[in-house]
């Protein structure tokens, strides 16, 4: 809770007297080495550093580190979220960071809700491409969760976290861990239960969370909720959804009407404020169980196993159903009518023979005719989405040594089953009937549905006519019961891997033993998404679309070496190299390589560098995903003045979101790329303490990137650039509003990023206790993107772009985490800081009313300045001699407000980057036996 910052320890050893050490496996290699250093930059988050933050969601902790960018989904992602927690290393996309547990792939692909903090010993973050070792997806880097092994005793932990000024959103955690080590092995098992309470946007103290605002005029974003007066000194323009509770009822020829409660009156242009009734923190109940065991069968063979079970129930809640009966939107009645010129016209909406249309139109002095543009916010319902997830993953294997060669055979099997339930939706056939012809032919005061009101024999049994004309809260329960439907979707993911690895030392070099490792492996994945039949048949409201089913298989071979070329105790030189071959059933094989070099100029000064190739295989959804609904934000180019040359006439835009269809492409091929790092490591004794300092430059470039073009790009390419291929993907209604855009996956994008990471850590022992300081700074030089080959390159660094678009979100140029801790006897007091630099945010405002072109983009749209922010946390812990530990923390001490960002999709801010709830606190009790 609170996204408390932590500064992470770089993975290294301090200069010290020579001693006999056990060889270890470093994340990024399978060769055992006598130290924790490597050519690739690796940061380590220890168990103690995790606990001091008060976070039990380890994904939130990792995403708060400076080397993370972008805006991946988490439990504060309501619209577009699914209860999972993802991370985004380097801002290259969550699917370009490989997540492992003890070096093994996860069936969920990187949902950190399945990883209990109670089982974690440390987290290794490899900030370098690693496809030559781990294969696909290790493009930006690897996060390897190392679990607790050698634990004796029982540990019980209770934690509660809450906010001072936000009225909801509490989180409670209970965990139990028990373990035993013995001569021939160990066993450890445990469980963790976390429950998080929902919080609506109006539970927070921030005014802009409670209303939808658009930046107009420029400058109003300094206080968007101030009363709007059309000047920069006032607030921003409040604008919501065109689906209003009063109904937005467009008759075929008589204009648009609504009902405030006293009958139909002309529509006055009002919109619906959907913000207050949206979650800003989504609720969940999460239970994780884990078992880890190892047993030495004999002197040559050791058996090991890991089992993890995750059970989660989570939910999101949006504003009530925004019903829209226009063509291409939600199901409605479809029929024909004869217009004033005697021409028969087809329509979608409400029948001219509908009982309620007849009653309300006549009372308002209108001639009953079809309503061809029917929009209404169904405030009588709740629109809720729930997930029920069961995930089981088991790893088992044998390992041992034979003639100084270490070997390991590992089998990894996982299954994830997810059931989604959507509530508050309407079914197509009942809507057709209920909005069709109806009348009170039996005279009992209650209308009935007919296919022809002039023929009583056409009665539709069980049908209840739907009244969309009476205004807010006039739809009865009987009407809702008839048209409402609960929708159920099923997802199943299977993962199976089999690996055989061998490693050893071949001969001695001047700097030490020549190390090598090699292996063969198999990876099999299956995925099935079976949507509710109503969705697959496009016969319900809400997001609809086709299902997905497919499989992907891989056979792979790899080899790597470690060559210590020289070591005289002061200077040293070593080289690493690796190569991997991956063969897939769905596309051509890939071969990747990596080279690394380490050079000690002095005992405490080391230079290191790596270069290599990486690739990312298309996911099963990328390949086989059926076309499904999407509702990204957009600005219709045809609403601009002057009218772009590609527009036939001025467009009509009444909403900030547009219906789109997104899906997979069986012809996709893997992404390919190059990575490079260069750095220096300095580990001196300084002023009586130990200092470690690393500075690393890194660069990652990707070609044939799997990406959709994006709805905004397609619209601009069509109407501004007059590209007919883009225009073929756009459908417009008769009034020239955008009805739908097709936006599927393609191998078109080019992406790149480079920057500098700086990490420092200093520890000193004094008569007053031990002091420890940490500092981690990531500077993003560039985060480039080309939508397709030949397109203009964009630099996203320092920017915030539309998070609903490909690669959208926050890319701060500078992010810093730092901490200072004092430890004395059983007391530890820590201060933590987190800094995020300013951002230039895109906006929907396509104007220049302030007359200052310097703050506008080339197309004239305004750039919003998002201020830098600095968060402060304070934590104290005391551990008693009898094993009881008490920890208390206050997060965001200065009560920093999240920034208003106009194009922020959830609550007009960025939940993945900023803290949303103001000052918070947590209290934890830990008892060990």
């Amino acid at each position: 809770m609170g996204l408390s910052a932590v500064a992470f320890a770089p993975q290294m050893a301090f200069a010290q007297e020579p001693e006999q050490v056990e060889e270890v496996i470093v994340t990024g290699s399978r060769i055992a080495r006598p130290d924790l250093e490597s050519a690739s930059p690796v940061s380590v988050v220890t168990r103690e550093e995790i606990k001091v933050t008060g976070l039990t969601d380890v994904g939130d902790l990792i995403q708060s580190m400076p080397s993370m960018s972008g805006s991946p989904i988490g439990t504060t992602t309501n619209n577009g979220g699914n209860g999972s927690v993802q991370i985004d290393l380097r801002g290259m996309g969550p699917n370009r960071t490989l997540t492992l547990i003890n070096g093994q792939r996860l069936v969920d692909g990187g949902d950190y809700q399945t990883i209990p903090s109670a089982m974690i010993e440390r987290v290794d973050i490899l900030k370098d491409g690693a496809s030559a070792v781990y294969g696909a997806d290790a493009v930006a880097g690897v996060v390897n969760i190392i679990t607790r092994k050698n634990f004796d005793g029982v540990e019980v932990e209770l934690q509660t976290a809450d906010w001072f000024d936000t009225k909801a959103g509490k989180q409670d955690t209970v965990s139990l861990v028990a373990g035993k080590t013995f001569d021939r092995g160990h066993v450890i098992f445990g469980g963790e239960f976390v429950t998080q309470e929902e919080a609506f946007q109006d539970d927070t103290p921030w005014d802009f969370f409670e209303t939808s605002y658009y930046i107009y005029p420029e400058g109003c974003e300094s206080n968007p909720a101030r009363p709007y007066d059309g000047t920069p000194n006032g607030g921003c323009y409040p604008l919501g959804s065109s689906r209003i509770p009063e109904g937005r009822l467009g008759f075929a020829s008589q204009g648009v009407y609504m009902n405030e409660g006293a009958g139909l009156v002309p529509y006055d242009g009002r919109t619906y404020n959907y913000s207050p009734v949206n979650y800003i923190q989504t609720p969940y109940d999460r239970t994780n169980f884990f078992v880890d065991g190892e047993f030495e069968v004999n002197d040559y063979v050791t058996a090991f196993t890991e089992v993890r079970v995750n059970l989660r129930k989570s939910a999101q809640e949006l504003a009530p159903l925004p019903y829209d009966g226009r063509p291409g939107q939600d199901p409605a009645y479809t029929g024909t009518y004869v217009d004033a010129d005697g021409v028969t016209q087809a329509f979608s909406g409400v029948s001219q023979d509908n009982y309620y249309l007849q009653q309300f139109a006549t009372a308002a002095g209108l001639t009953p005719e079809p309503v061809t543009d029917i929009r209404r916010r169904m405030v009588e319902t709740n629109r809720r989405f729930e997930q029920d997830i069961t995930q089981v993953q088991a790893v088992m294997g044998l390992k041992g040594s034979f003639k100084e060669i270490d070997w390991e055979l590992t089998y990894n099997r996982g299954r994830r089953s997810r059931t989604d339930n959507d509530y508050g939706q309407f079914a197509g056939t009942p809507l057709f009937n209920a909005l069709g012809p109806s009348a009170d032919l039996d005279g009992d005061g209650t209308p009935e549905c007919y296919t022809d009101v002039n023929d009583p024999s056409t009665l539709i049994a069980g049908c209840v006519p739907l009244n969309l004309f009476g205004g807010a809260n006039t739809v009865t329960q009987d009407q809702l019961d008839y048209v409402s439907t609960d929708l159920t979707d099923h997802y199943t993911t299977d993962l199976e891997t089999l690996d055989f690895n061998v490693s050893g030392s071949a001969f001695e070099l001047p700097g030490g033993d020549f190390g090598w490792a090699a292996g063969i492996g198999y990876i099999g994945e299956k995925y099935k998404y079976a949507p509710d039949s109503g969705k697959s048949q496009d016969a319900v409201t809400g997001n609809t679309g086709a299902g997905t089913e497919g499989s992907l298989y891989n056979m792979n071979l790899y080899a790597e070496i470690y060559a210590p070329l020289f070591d005289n105790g002061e200077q040293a030189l070593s080289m690493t190299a690796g190569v991997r071959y991956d063969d897939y059933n769905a596309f051509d094989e890939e071969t990747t390589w990596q080279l690394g070099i380490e050079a000690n100029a002095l005992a405490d000064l080391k230079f290191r560098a790596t270069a290599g190739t990486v690739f990312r295989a298309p996911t099963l959804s990328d390949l086989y995903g059926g076309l499904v609904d999407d509702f990204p934000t957009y600005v219709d180019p045809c609403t601009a003045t002057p009218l772009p040359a590609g527009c036939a006439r001025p467009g009509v835009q009444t909403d900030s979101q547009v219906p789109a269809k997104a899906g997979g492409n069986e012809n996709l091929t893997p992404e390919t790329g190059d990575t490079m790092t260069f750095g220096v490591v300095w580990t001196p004794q300084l002023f009586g303490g130990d200092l470690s300092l690393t500075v690393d430059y890194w660069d990652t470039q990707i070609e044939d990137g799997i990406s959709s073009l994006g709805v905004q790009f397609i619209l601009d390419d069509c109407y501004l650039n007059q590209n007919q291929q883009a225009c073929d993907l756009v459908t417009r209604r008769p009034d020239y509003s955008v009805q739908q855009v097709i936006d599927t996956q393609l191998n078109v994008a080019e992406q790149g990023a480079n920057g500098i990471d700086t990490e420092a850590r200093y520890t000193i022992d004094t008569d007053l206790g031990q002091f420890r300081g940490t500092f981690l700074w990531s500077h993003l030089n560039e985060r480039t993107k080309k939508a397709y080959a030949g397109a203009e390159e964009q630099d996203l660094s320092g920017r915030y772009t539309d998070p609903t678009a490909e690669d959208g979100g926050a890319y701060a140029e500078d992010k810093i985490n730092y901490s200072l801790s004092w430890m004395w006897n059983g007391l530890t007091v820590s201060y933590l800081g987190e800094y995020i630099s300013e951002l230039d945010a895109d906006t929907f405002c396509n104007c220049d009313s302030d007359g200052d072109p310097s703050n506008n983009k080339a197309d004239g749209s305004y750039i919003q300045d998002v201020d830098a922010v600095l968060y402060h946390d304070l934590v104290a812990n005391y551990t008693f001699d009898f094993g009881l530990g008490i920890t208390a923390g206050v997060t965001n001490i200065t009560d920093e407000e999240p920034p208003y960002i106009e194009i922020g999709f959830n609550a007009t801010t960025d939940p993945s980057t900023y803290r949303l709830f103001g000052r918070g606190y947590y209290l934890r009790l830990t008892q060990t036996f």
Side-chain angles (χ1 to χ4, degrees):
M1 299 286 286
L3 289 178
S4 300
V6 63
F8 303 90
Q11 184 166 311
M12 62 186 64
F14 295 108
Q16 55 185 331
E17 292 300 317
E19 59 178 320
Q20 189 69 30
V21 295
E22 180 185 1
E23 292 191 331
V24 295
I25 300 295
V26 180
T27 295
S29 173
R30 288 192 172 93
I31 299 176
R33 296 179 52 173
D35 57 58
L36 286 173
E37 299 183 34
S38 70
S40 296
V42 179
S43 291
V44 178
V45 188
T46 67
R47 176 166 183 79
E48 290 72 23
E49 291 168 332
I50 293 173
K51 293 180 69 173
V52 78
T53 67
L55 287 167
T56 56
D57 293 329
V58 67
D60 291 341
L61 169 67
I62 294 173
Q63 184 58 32
S64 72
M65 71 179 289
S67 56
M68 303 290 164
S69 290
S71 298
I73 64 173
T75 63
T76 51
T77 307
N78 184 45
N79 195 350
N82 55 25
S84 66
V85 175
Q86 301 177 1
I87 64 167
D88 190 353
L89 181 58
R90 306 299 193 198
M92 301 297 289
N95 50 13
R96 297 184 182 96
T97 299
L98 179 63
T99 298
L100 308 171
I101 293 183
N102 297 323
Q104 295 293 319
R105 288 177 177 260
L106 309 182
V107 66
D108 54 70
D111 175 8
Y112 283 76
Q113 285 277 57
T114 68
I115 303 173
S117 62
M119 82 173 189
I120 298 175
E121 180 65 28
R122 72 175 195 271
V123 181
D124 292 350
I125 300 132
L126 171 63
K127 298 177 292 183
D128 188 13
S131 291
V133 176
Y134 298 113
D137 309 330
V139 176
V142 177
V143 176
N144 190 14
I145 309 293
I146 308 300
T147 62
R148 301 165 79 176
K149 304 287 185 181
N150 299 318
F151 176 78
D152 281 293
V154 177
E155 177 186 273
V156 179
E157 192 164 273
L158 308 175
Q159 177 172 304
T160 186
D162 208 345
W163 315 103
F164 286 98
D165 297 320
T166 295
K167 294 179 287 188
K170 180 182 179 183
Q171 187 189 81
D172 293 317
T173 304
V174 179
S175 67
L176 169 69
V177 179
K180 177 67 177 177
T181 59
F182 42 91
D183 291 342
R184 301 177 70 90
H186 73 266
V187 62
I188 182 173
F189 63 90
E192 181 179 86
F193 175 75
V194 182
T195 180
Q196 178 169 281
E197 182 183 54
E198 70 274 6
F200 287 92
Q201 288 182 208
D202 67 353
D203 286 327
T204 68
W206 322 123
D207 289 338
F208 75 85
F209 271 24
E210 300 183 21
T211 304
S212 304
Y213 296 100
Y214 285 76
I215 291 181
Y216 186 83
E218 295 97 320
C220 66
E221 67 269 22
S222 60
N223 193 342
R226 187 183 294 130
Y228 174 74
D229 63 8
T231 71
N233 294 324
C236 293
Y237 185 72
L239 181 65
S241 169
S242 66
R243 287 83 157 177
I244 58 176
E246 300 85 356
R248 191 181 188 279
L249 313 167
F251 285 83
S253 65
Q254 300 172 87
V256 183
Y257 289 79
M258 64 181 185
N259 190 340
E260 296 179 285
L264 296 183
V265 296
Y267 172 61
D268 61 5
R270 71 182 59 188
T271 58
Y272 171 72
N273 177 22
Y274 48 79
S275 294
V277 291
N278 277 272
Y279 285 160
I280 185 58
Q281 177 167 285
T282 62
Y284 65 82
D285 289 331
R286 183 186 78 201
T287 303
N288 286 296
F289 300 102
F290 55 92
V291 177
D292 184 294
E294 186 173 290
F295 180 74
E296 185 180 312
V297 179
N298 54 43
D299 292 340
Y300 306 101
V301 178
T302 298
F304 60 90
T305 186
E306 303 170 19
V307 179
R308 298 183 300 276
V309 178
N310 171 252
L311 307 172
R312 168 162 63 86
K313 294 182 183 294
S314 52
Q316 300 78 46
E317 188 165 315
L318 301 178
L321 174 68
Y323 178 72
D324 188 337
R326 291 177 294 171
Q329 301 288 322
D330 294 323
Y333 178 79
T334 55
T336 61
Y337 72 100
V338 179
D339 65 16
D341 297 325
V343 178
T344 299
Q345 301 282 0
F347 75 94
S348 172
V350 184
S351 168
Q352 63 268 41
D353 294 324
N354 180 271
Y355 174 84
Y356 294 107
L357 184 152
Q358 291 274 335
Q359 295 289 317
F360 283 94
T362 301
L366 301 173
T367 300
E369 63 176 353
V371 170
T372 57
D373 183 349
I374 175 71
R375 305 182 219 179
R376 187 182 187 277
R377 184 68 57 165
M378 304 304 297
V379 292
E380 298 85 356
T381 68
N382 288 321
R383 190 163 50 129
R384 185 176 174 86
F385 308 87
E386 296 182 355
Q387 301 84 38
D388 191 340
I389 292 175
T390 299
Q391 179 172 314
V392 179
Q393 187 145 7
V395 178
M396 59 193 73
L398 300 171
K399 62 182 180 179
S401 296
F402 179 74
K403 293 185 177 180
E404 298 186 348
I405 295 178
D406 296 328
W407 60 269
E408 181 173 302
L409 176 66
T410 307
Y411 177 69
N412 175 15
R413 179 78 168 87
R415 164 162 280 212
R416 180 182 175 95
S417 298
R418 170 179 152 193
T419 299
D420 284 12
N421 291 296
D422 296 1
Y423 301 101
Q425 304 291 352
F426 293 167
T429 299
L431 276 172
F432 178 91
N433 295 335
L435 296 177
S438 54
D440 182 17
L441 297 187
D442 61 8
D444 65 354
T446 302
E448 309 87 33
C449 304
Y450 299 88
T451 57
D452 182 353
V453 292
N454 298 311
D455 183 356
S457 68
T458 63
L459 174 72
I460 302 175
C463 175
V464 180
L466 180 60
N467 176 18
L468 298 183
F469 297 85
N473 298 307
T474 59
V475 176
T476 67
Q477 190 61 49
D478 286 345
Q479 294 171 11
L480 288 176
D481 290 343
Y482 179 66
V483 298
S484 294
T485 183
D486 296 335
L487 307 174
T488 302
D489 307 329
H490 297 283
Y491 302 77
T492 304
T493 307
D494 288 282
L495 172 71
E496 189 173 37
T497 71
L498 182 64
D499 296 294
F500 181 68
N501 302 301
V502 291
S503 63
S505 299
F507 47 83
E508 188 172 345
L509 291 172
D513 290 338
F514 177 90
W516 61 271
I520 184 171
Y522 163 84
I523 304 173
E525 301 172 83
K526 294 181 180 179
Y527 176 72
K528 182 177 181 180
Y529 162 54
D532 189 280
S533 60
K535 291 185 178 181
S536 61
Q537 297 170 19
D538 204 22
V540 293
T541 58
N543 289 19
T544 62
T548 300
E549 185 170 7
S551 57
L552 191 62
Y553 303 101
N554 160 284
M555 293 293 296
N556 56 79
L557 299 166
Y558 82 92
E560 60 171 319
I561 63 168
Y562 167 63
L565 302 175
F566 174 79
D567 189 347
N568 65 4
E570 185 77 12
Q571 288 81 31
L573 178 67
S574 62
M575 185 186 74
T576 61
V579 64
R580 179 177 170 120
Y581 172 82
D582 287 89
D583 186 18
Y584 285 87
N585 65 315
F587 35 79
D588 292 340
E589 68 276 359
E590 292 288 337
T591 300
T592 52
W593 58 267
Q594 187 174 56
L595 295 175
I597 191 167
E598 304 166 65
N600 283 77
L602 301 170
D604 56 10
L605 181 63
K606 172 179 173 179
F607 296 93
R608 61 188 182 187
T610 66
T613 59
V614 292
F615 82 102
R616 180 178 84 85
T619 67
L620 290 171
S621 294
D622 289 337
L623 290 167
Y624 307 117
L627 287 177
V628 297
D629 285 342
D630 190 20
F631 292 90
T633 54
Y634 82 117
V635 175
D636 186 353
C638 295
T639 61
T641 302
L643 188 68
C647 301
R649 58 190 173 104
V652 176
Q653 181 175 348
T654 57
D655 292 289
S656 62
Q657 294 173 261
V658 64
K661 288 287 187 181
N665 178 357
E666 292 188 17
N667 297 315
L668 291 174
T669 59
E671 302 175 341
T672 59
D674 300 295
T675 66
M676 185 268 286
T677 69
F678 174 81
V680 59
V681 181
W682 187 38
T683 57
Q685 295 276 331
L686 195 65
F687 305 116
D690 293 319
L691 171 70
S692 66
L693 174 67
T694 68
V695 180
D696 290 284
Y697 172 83
W698 57 271
D699 187 289
T700 301
Q701 301 294 326
I702 298 174
E703 296 180 349
D704 298 321
I706 299 169
S707 170
S708 61
L709 293 173
V711 162
Q712 191 65 60
F713 176 87
I714 292 170
L715 291 170
D716 291 345
D717 198 33
C718 170
Y719 299 107
L720 302 182
N721 301 328
Q722 301 184 59
N723 183 342
Q724 186 57 46
Q725 289 182 322
C727 295
D728 291 341
L729 303 174
V730 182
T731 303
R732 287 187 179 267
R733 301 186 184 90
D735 67 354
Y736 214 61
S737 62
V738 179
Q739 177 175 321
Q740 181 177 273
V741 181
I742 303 296
D743 188 23
T744 57
Q745 299 284 56
L746 301 167
N747 282 109
V748 293
E750 296 179 16
Q751 299 189 43
N754 64 76
I756 299 173
D757 289 340
T758 302
E759 300 188 21
R761 185 180 188 89
Y762 185 72
T763 302
I764 186 170
D765 292 308
T766 73
D767 294 339
L768 300 177
Q770 184 182 83
F771 292 87
R772 179 180 301 166
T774 56
F775 178 85
L776 189 152
W777 170 27
S778 185
H779 176 73
L780 183 64
N781 291 328
E782 291 182 315
R783 170 59 172 92
T784 59
K785 171 187 175 181
K786 285 186 179 180
Y788 59 91
E792 182 181 355
E793 184 176 87
Q794 301 180 58
D795 185 1
L796 304 179
S797 61
R799 291 179 56 190
Y800 186 88
T801 59
D802 181 1
T804 67
E806 194 80 22
D807 303 309
Y811 295 91
E813 287 188 347
D814 294 288
K815 296 178 71 177
I816 298 172
N817 288 359
Y818 59 90
S819 68
L820 179 64
S821 298
W822 169 57
M823 289 149 281
W824 181 69
N825 295 328
L827 176 66
T828 301
V829 179
S830 300
Y831 161 69
L832 304 93
E834 178 184 8
Y835 171 80
I836 302 164
S837 64
E838 66 276 1
L839 294 169
D840 290 336
D842 293 350
T843 66
F844 296 122
C845 185
N846 211 0
C847 46
D848 190 18
S849 64
D850 66 352
D852 181 6
S854 68
N855 56 15
N856 285 57
K857 293 188 295 183
D859 65 358
S861 56
Y862 180 65
I863 296 174
Q864 178 190 352
D865 292 328
V866 179
D867 291 338
V869 64
L870 177 61
Y871 299 112
H872 308 272
D873 307 320
L874 189 63
V875 182
N877 167 265
Y878 188 79
T879 302
F880 295 90
D881 293 338
F882 52 88
L884 175 64
I886 301 176
T887 304
V890 178
T891 60
N892 193 6
I893 295 172
T894 54
D895 202 24
E896 299 296 326
E897 178 179 351
Y900 167 74
I901 304 175
E902 185 194 45
I903 62 169
F905 192 57
N906 279 272
T908 54
T909 191
D910 187 58
S912 301
T913 303
Y914 301 101
R915 308 192 193 184
L916 304 180
F917 306 107
R919 187 182 297 113
Y921 68 89
Y922 70 92
L923 177 66
R924 180 172 61 243
L925 302 178
T926 306
Q927 178 67 60
T928 56
F929 303 94

